Amino acid sequence: MPNDRFARTPKPPYYAAVVAAQRTSGDRGYGATAARMTQLAASMPSYLGLETARDETGFGMTVSYWRSGASIRHWKQQIEHKVARERGNADWYDHDELRVAKVERTHGRPG
Amino acid sequence: MPNDRFARTPKPPYYAAVVAAQRTSGDRGYGATAARMTQLAASMPSYLGLETARDETGFGMTVSYWRSGASIRHWKQQIEHKVARERGNADWYDHDELRVAKVERTHGRPG
């Protein structure tokens, strides 16, 4: 059965921000900021949901869903998010990568 | 620094198959089949790479990258993969969802 780890997205098309990231070791304030960023993203009108998993090595995949590619740009420019990403680059991530992709079709529950 | 958990994808456009899945508990042969499927995908000419993370609750995100949307359809139809997915639905996953998306732009290393 689906659980609340799955995002309840509408029918395509919509956009996905696919982030792969390798965490550094230790929390160093990461958990609190990550929770705040999730809350902040969810407050944006174009946000559709988020799915994320991180394994015991600190490697994680986070995919957030948005109504448009422009709304992902807007989220990237959001000032508090920008400050958090700068902190991320300095302290929390060894490396991270973002891909912006247009969801065209789905199988299983989404859409 | 990037490590081998990050896929070395070309410049966009290309496609992503984004899978969110909740594993059942216990291995039940899953690990061996997952390794075989990764090997099989990598042998396909349109395959570009894969990024995956699963947490301690069994929730995981796996994103594989492909040259085209058609090549993802082809991979879904690959017979050994099809049999493995049927086994997955029956034994290994409580629930899983696939989104097929066209990668348009990237930030960080990919592309």
Side-chain angles (χ1 to χ4, degrees):
Chain A
M1 295 295 288
N3 58 35
D4 64 6
R5 300 291 298 272
F6 293 92
R8 297 169 182 277
T9 45
K11 282 194 191 303
Y14 53 88
Y15 274 74
V18 179
V19 175
Q22 180 66 55
R23 277 289 320 279
T24 50
S25 55
D27 186 70
R28 312 191 215 184
Y30 169 80
T33 301
R36 168 67 186 146
M37 288 304 114
T38 301
Q39 183 190 45
L40 192 61
S43 75
M44 299 187 74
S46 52
Y47 173 87
L48 297 173
L50 178 140
E51 294 172 329
T52 185
R54 186 170 308 281
D55 69 22
E56 67 288 352
T57 73
F59 186 82
M61 299 294 300
T62 298
V63 185
S64 56
Y65 302 103
W66 301 83
R67 291 198 192 280
S68 66
S71 58
I72 295 174
R73 267 186 225 278
H74 185 66
W75 168 235
K76 278 198 72 182
Q77 295 308 317
Q78 204 283 348
I79 187 66
E80 190 178 344
H81 182 212
K82 224 167 159 171
V83 169
R85 281 188 293 115
E86 281 160 17
R87 176 87 197 276
N89 290 335
D91 291 348
W92 296 323
Y93 294 116
D94 278 334
H95 187 72
D96 70 319
E97 301 182 351
L98 164 67
R99 291 173 176 92
V100 175
K102 184 180 187 177
V103 178
E104 296 183 349
R105 51 195 167 92
T106 64
H107 303 268
R109 198 187 54 176
Chain B
M1 296 294 289
N3 60 34
D4 64 6
R5 301 291 298 273
F6 293 92
R8 297 170 182 277
T9 45
K11 283 195 191 304
Y14 53 90
Y15 275 74
V18 179
V19 175
Q22 180 67 55
R23 277 290 319 281
T24 50
S25 56
D27 185 70
R28 312 192 214 183
Y30 169 80
T33 300
R36 169 67 186 147
M37 288 303 115
T38 301
Q39 183 191 46
L40 191 60
S43 75
M44 299 186 74
S46 52
Y47 172 86
L48 297 173
L50 178 140
E51 294 172 330
T52 185
R54 186 171 307 282
D55 69 21
E56 67 286 354
T57 73
F59 186 81
M61 299 293 299
T62 298
V63 185
S64 56
Y65 302 104
W66 301 83
R67 291 197 192 282
S68 66
S71 58
I72 295 174
R73 269 187 224 276
H74 185 66
W75 168 234
K76 278 196 74 183
Q77 295 308 317
Q78 204 283 347
I79 186 65
E80 190 177 343
H81 182 213
K82 224 167 160 171
V83 170
R85 282 188 293 116
E86 280 159 19
R87 177 87 197 276
N89 290 335
D91 292 348
W92 296 322
Y93 294 116
D94 277 335
H95 187 73
D96 70 318
E97 301 183 352
L98 164 67
R99 291 173 176 93
V100 175
K102 183 179 187 177
V103 178
E104 295 183 348
R105 53 194 166 91
T106 63
H107 303 268
R109 199 187 53 176

